[in-house]
């Protein structure tokens, strides 16, 4: 368990590592690698579902494919050109020999980084991560080639969201990078759907046009979670706190590393549930019980209120839960409204089981979620002198009874204190 905590501390650094392509263009507060992984998981899930891929594997590809960047940094062809040269607007013009040379160098740097990172994991998990990463880098199967195309799609979406849709700025370079590898008909159709969305260009009459438009709209909406800072940290004065999507990334990865080998839990269901558990924040925003209490008290005693865990009656807790539940359910139904019915039902059911702790996965994840919040709080406590994680310790031990979660809490106590 000690090594797992060390691993999570290291991968947590991806929440502060900005995407290089956006930095190149001078984007302020660009999405981080962790934010990218969050939506890549949904991109791989929703598009992979259309190709009948194994969704557990698809999500794991999203989780693992950029872990090497913890130490290697976000390496991309775009980093070889500065904004001043404008070369980036015309795509990356390199000979095949030069491309291969740079690709080999990148591979060696990232391999070294990944091996350094996964030394914290037990042998079977170490093998799993490395196998996924190597398969992704080498594109050794039809499945992986599709996953790589999906990943490029998400990068293209990011360019539109953070730089804009002006063809003179983003159009050529990111489109060319995508079109270099796109072969699958579904991905080509999705690109046409994006062209319609951003440029008004009518796509060819493919049968799945409307469905792909709905998937695109969902991904764009979910992407807004990359810009929403977690309210618990904001209330306590944390500068540039983790985003909602960053938290989801941590929880999903923690669910994988802690629950691996537990036969009573479905890993696919657990990963999907972790991804869906905070989607409602797209419309509700990020909330905590504290912000409600602070409003009622007009923030007169804000400092004192935030120092302790909220102690309210069971009746008040029940009232707050029911109100939040209704609002979150309404938000999630709105977000998933136009998705294929079976997918919509699945996402809402996963969220329900998490919120009501009505399945083994829901009970485990609800406890792990609190532990993940505490974990981030301990990192901030170490970083900021005036930050205290004391209320989070109380909360975590109050809601936890799973032996693995309790062990996780004890090891965190040893590690940080």
């Amino acid at each position: 368990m000690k090594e797992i905590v060390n691993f999570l501390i290291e991968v947590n650094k991806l929440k502060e590592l900005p995407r290089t392509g956006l930095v190149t263009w001078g984007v302020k507060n660009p999405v981080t690698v962790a934010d990218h992984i969050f939506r890549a998981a949904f991109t791989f899930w929703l598009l992979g579902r259309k190709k009948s891929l194994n969704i557990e594997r698809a999500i794991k590809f999203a989780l693992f494919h950029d872990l090497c960047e913890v130490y290697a940094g976000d390496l991309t062809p775009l980093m070889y050109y500065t904004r001043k040269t404008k070369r980036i607007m015309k795509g990356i013009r390199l000979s095949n020999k030069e491309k291969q040379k740079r690709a080999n160098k990148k591979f060696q740097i990232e391999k070294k980084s990944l091996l350094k990172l996964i030394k914290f994991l037990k042998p079977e998990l170490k093998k799993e991560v490395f196998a996924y990463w190597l398969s992704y880098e080498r594109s050794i199967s039809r499945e992986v080639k599709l996953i790589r195309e999906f990943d490029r799609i998400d990068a293209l979406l990011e360019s539109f969201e953070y730089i804009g849709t002006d063809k003179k700025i983003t159009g050529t370079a990111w489109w060319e990078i995508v079109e270099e590898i796109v072969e699958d008909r579904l991905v080509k159709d999705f690109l046409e759907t994006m062209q319609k969305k951003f440029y008004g260009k009518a796509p060819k009459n493919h049968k799945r046009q409307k469905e792909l438009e709905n998937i695109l709209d969902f991904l764009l909406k979910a992407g807004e979670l990359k810009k929403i800072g977690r309210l618990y940290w904001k209330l306590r004065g944390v500068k540039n706190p983790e985003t909602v999507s960053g938290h989801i990334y941590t929880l999903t990865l923690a669910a994988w590393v802690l629950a691996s080998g537990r036969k009573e839990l479905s890993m696919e269901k657990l990963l999907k549930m972790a991804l869906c558990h905070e989607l409602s924040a797209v419309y509700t925003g990020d909330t905590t019980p504290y912000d409600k209490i602070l409003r009622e008290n007009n923030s007169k005693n804000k400092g004192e209120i935030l120092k302790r865990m909220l102690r309210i009656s069971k009746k008040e807790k029940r009232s707050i839960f029911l109100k939040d539940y209704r609002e979150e359910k309404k938000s999630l139904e709105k977000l998933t409204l136009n998705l294929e019915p079976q997918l919509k039902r699945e996402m809402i059911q996963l969220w329900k089981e998490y919120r009501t702790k009505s399945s083994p996965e829901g009970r485990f994840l609800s406890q792990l979620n609190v532990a993940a919040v505490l974990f981030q709080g301990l990192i901030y406590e170490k970083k900021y002198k005036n930050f205290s994680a004391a209320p989070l310790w109380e909360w975590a031990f109050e809601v936890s009874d799973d032996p693995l979660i309790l062990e996780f809490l004890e090891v965190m106590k040893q590690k940080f204190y």
Side-chain angles (χ1 to χ4, degrees):
M1 184 63 74
K2 182 179 178 181
E3 294 303 293
I4 287 176
V5 171
N6 288 333
F7 171 77
L8 290 175
I9 288 172
E10 294 303 295
V11 297
N12 204 63
K13 294 175 181 177
L14 294 182
K15 291 198 278 194
E16 297 184 356
L17 179 65
R19 294 274 278 169
T20 302
L22 300 178
V23 172
T24 301
W25 277 96
V27 174
K28 295 181 180 180
N29 299 317
V31 355
T32 66
V33 174
D35 292 325
H36 161 67
I37 290 173
F38 152 75
R39 193 174 60 189
F42 274 108
T43 304
F44 295 6
W45 174 3
L46 271 59
L47 293 181
R49 188 172 176 273
K50 299 302 299 176
K51 300 296 293 187
S52 300
L53 297 186
N54 180 304
I55 302 304
E56 179 183 331
R57 282 179 54 80
I59 293 173
K60 284 182 176 179
F61 270 115
L63 289 178
F64 302 155
H65 80 291
D66 277 342
L67 288 184
C68 58
E69 296 180 5
V70 168
Y71 303 121
D74 184 28
L75 305 179
T76 165
L78 300 182
M79 69 188 296
Y80 296 108
Y81 299 90
T82 66
R83 192 178 184 187
K84 292 180 180 179
T85 66
K86 305 286 184 168
R87 284 287 303 276
I88 193 172
M89 296 193 311
K90 299 179 181 179
I92 307 304
R93 304 301 186 188
L94 300 171
S95 67
N96 288 333
K97 183 178 180 180
E98 181 63 21
K99 283 183 180 180
Q100 190 60 50
K101 178 182 175 181
R102 293 188 180 190
N104 289 338
K105 182 178 180 180
K106 177 176 178 290
F107 176 84
Q108 294 302 326
I109 292 172
E110 293 183 339
K111 178 182 176 183
K112 183 179 179 180
S113 171
L114 186 66
L115 291 175
K116 179 181 177 181
L117 176 66
I118 62 178
K119 70 180 182 181
F120 295 111
L121 300 175
K122 54 188 179 182
E124 57 268 33
L125 297 185
K126 187 185 302 184
K127 290 179 181 177
E128 182 178 14
V129 173
F130 188 75
Y132 271 88
W133 177 82
L134 186 62
S135 177
Y136 178 85
E137 289 296 314
R138 296 307 193 196
S139 297
I140 60 176
S141 68
R142 168 186 165 275
E143 174 194 46
V144 181
K145 288 177 181 178
L146 271 172
I147 292 295
R148 288 180 67 88
E149 292 184 27
F150 296 162
D151 189 39
R152 294 288 178 92
I153 287 291
D154 189 70
L156 180 58
L157 279 179
E158 285 178 354
S159 76
F160 290 140
E161 291 167 316
Y162 289 85
I163 300 177
T165 57
D166 188 337
K167 291 183 180 180
K168 294 180 180 179
I169 298 176
T170 62
T172 304
W174 268 272
W175 276 106
E176 286 188 6
I177 292 171
V178 171
E179 290 174 343
E180 276 184 354
I181 69 167
V182 168
E183 297 177 355
D184 186 79
R185 185 66 259 171
L186 171 68
V187 183
K188 290 180 178 180
D189 288 347
F190 197 76
L191 284 174
E192 289 182 2
T193 302
M194 291 172 66
Q195 285 181 318
K196 179 184 178 184
K197 176 75 175 182
F198 294 110
Y199 298 115
K201 183 178 179 181
K204 297 175 182 177
N205 294 321
H206 51 80
K207 297 179 180 178
R208 46 196 170 199
Q209 177 184 331
K210 185 61 179 176
E211 186 175 1
L212 293 183
E213 287 177 358
N214 292 335
I215 290 175
L216 176 58
D217 288 341
F218 174 88
L219 293 176
L220 290 170
K221 278 294 182 183
E224 294 178 12
L225 297 180
K226 299 190 235 180
K227 299 178 181 179
I228 301 177
R230 294 277 279 173
L231 184 57
Y232 188 93
W233 314 127
K234 283 184 175 182
L235 290 172
R236 286 157 179 78
V238 174
K239 296 180 180 179
N240 299 317
E242 69 168 345
T243 59
V244 174
S245 62
H247 166 69
I248 293 174
Y249 153 80
T250 296
L251 182 62
T252 308
L253 198 59
W256 165 74
V257 73
L258 283 167
S260 291
R262 290 189 60 160
K263 296 181 180 179
E264 76 275 18
L265 300 175
S266 163
M267 181 56 70
E268 179 180 335
K269 185 175 182 180
L270 196 61
L271 295 178
K272 287 178 175 178
M273 187 179 289
L275 290 172
C276 293
H277 86 287
E278 289 278 8
L279 281 179
S280 59
V282 167
Y283 294 112
T284 65
D286 193 37
T287 61
T288 77
Y290 285 91
D291 55 299
K292 298 179 180 67
I293 301 298
L294 291 175
R295 284 197 299 270
E296 292 172 4
N297 287 269
N298 297 317
S299 301
K300 290 180 180 179
N301 302 313
K302 178 181 177 181
E304 290 302 313
I305 291 173
L306 295 176
K307 286 180 181 178
R308 62 182 187 272
M309 181 179 175
L310 286 180
R311 295 298 177 186
I312 55 180
S313 67
K314 288 184 178 180
K315 183 178 180 180
E316 287 176 299
K317 285 183 179 179
R318 180 67 177 170
S319 176
I320 290 173
F321 171 81
L322 290 175
K323 183 175 182 296
D324 287 347
Y325 185 90
R326 286 192 290 267
E327 289 178 355
E328 290 173 19
K329 184 172 183 286
K330 184 178 179 180
S331 173
L332 192 57
E333 288 174 340
K334 181 178 179 181
L335 179 63
T336 60
L337 179 64
N338 294 318
L339 292 179
E340 190 272 325
Q342 185 179 350
L343 179 60
K344 175 183 176 180
R345 286 193 298 270
E346 181 183 21
M347 287 185 172
I348 293 175
Q349 182 61 30
L350 288 166
W351 170 82
K352 282 183 179 179
E353 291 181 19
Y354 162 76
R355 288 294 271 128
T356 60
K357 307 177 182 64
S358 55
S359 67
E361 293 79 11
R363 288 190 291 276
F364 178 80
L365 194 70
S366 66
Q367 294 183 34
L368 182 58
N369 179 62
V370 179
V373 175
L374 170 61
F375 172 75
Q376 185 63 53
L378 291 171
I379 290 175
Y380 286 145
E381 187 176 60
K382 190 174 182 179
K383 185 175 182 180
Y384 301 104
K385 291 182 179 180
N386 296 326
F387 185 92
S388 173
L392 296 173
W393 279 113
E394 289 188 56
W395 184 28
F397 278 111
E398 187 172 282
V399 303
S400 301
D401 61 12
D402 186 286
L404 192 63
I405 303 297
L406 291 171
E407 183 185 357
F408 184 46
L409 296 179
E410 289 294 339
V411 172
M412 280 198 290
K413 187 186 293 184
Q414 295 168 21
K415 176 67 180 180
F416 287 94
Y417 299 121

